[in-house]
Amino acid sequence: MGLAGIPKPPRLVRRVLPVVWPVGAAALTGLATPVIVAGAFASFVDKKARLFRVSVLGVGLMWVDVRMLMDCWRLQLGNPERTAPAWEDDHEEVFLAGLNRAMILARRWVGFEVRLDGRMHFGNEGAPLVAFARHAGPGDSIALAWLLGHTAGRMPKIVLAEALRWDPMVDTLLTQMRSYFVPSRTGAGDDRVAGVRSLARGLKDDDVLLLFPEGQNFSPDRRRRLIDRMREAGQELRARRAISLFNTLPPKTKGVVAVLDERPDADVMIVGHAGFGRLSTPREVWDAIPFTDRPFLVRTHTYAAGDVPDDAPEIEAWLDERWTEIDEWVTAYEQ
């Protein structure tokens, strides 16, 4: 079913979750302590110390999440009316600090390290930026949001599944940052593009809208199922295009067209990454830990607003060409 099929928590549950989550995190930490100890002893057998690394990282990330939630409470207590001029900026600082803590933990405990293949160009100063990124491998959303926030100096505005509201920190913090939660497929009558348009419309000059046109993480099984569905629907041209992509899924263009139609003044960054895309199952991720010899390599190319098509069919063809380039680059890197 995936995240897209999971509905958001009911209103009452959303009110209760932030209160019980810190207590639940403390209980989970207690339950995880024997696992951490067992992992430490198991490292005498498993020289990669995977159980120890993963259990410590899991507890660490959980408390990063709790701290971000508590920082949101602190901001709300300091400004109950939520009218301070810096209200959104303060939440953005909490978001960036939390991302940084998470990336430090990931690098320390499992060797997850982001590297750049070439220079990044962040668009023209004074112009908004949208980033269309490949979606594959564990942690790519967090890594790319961190990279754009800390390296590009632009605040990521994110489109994410509404199911993630079950995390009270995500629900509390990212709502205050004007992120867009895509309604689940179970939601009747929801315009799944209207929110993307609204997010694009509200972009400031120092923002970047981060969108994953594939809609879901790449995996060989998803690629095969997608090709089969295209053929069953008589979409032979799209199926042939999907067959030519070995490391990516064909990009969905509805959201991309909506964003570019709403913000024709935005520069466009195409983001590819390599190194983790073939880790599509828990077993593959487990076997690859630690990632000390497997950097998360990022390659970007930024196009000025005037160089991007503004007609829907031309945008679709242009995006397909960019995804073919990403696929070829990933193939060359991972051979």
Side-chain angles (χ1 to χ4, degrees), residues 1 27 56 160 187 229 249 260 278-279 289 323:
M1 177 172 64
V56 172
L160 64 168
R229 286 199 296 268
L249 302 175
L260 296 181
R278 289 290 172 174
L279 304 182
I289 294 171
W323 242 247

Side-chain angles (χ1 to χ4, degrees), residues 238-251:
R238 293 193 66 208
R240 286 200 299 269
R241 185 180 300 145
I243 290 172
S244 70
L245 301 175
F246 297 99
N247 303 287
T248 58
L249 302 175

Side-chain angles (χ1 to χ4, degrees), residues 121-128 154 205-206 267:
H121 176 59
F122 309 126
N124 295 305
E125 187 175 353
R154 288 180 179 260
D205 292 346
D206 58 350
D267 297 330

Side-chain angles (χ1 to χ4, degrees), residues 316-328:
E316 293 172 1
W318 181 83
L319 191 65
D320 283 338
E321 291 176 7
R322 305 290 78 77
W323 242 247
T324 298
E325 292 169 357
I326 290 176
D327 195 84
E328 291 172 348

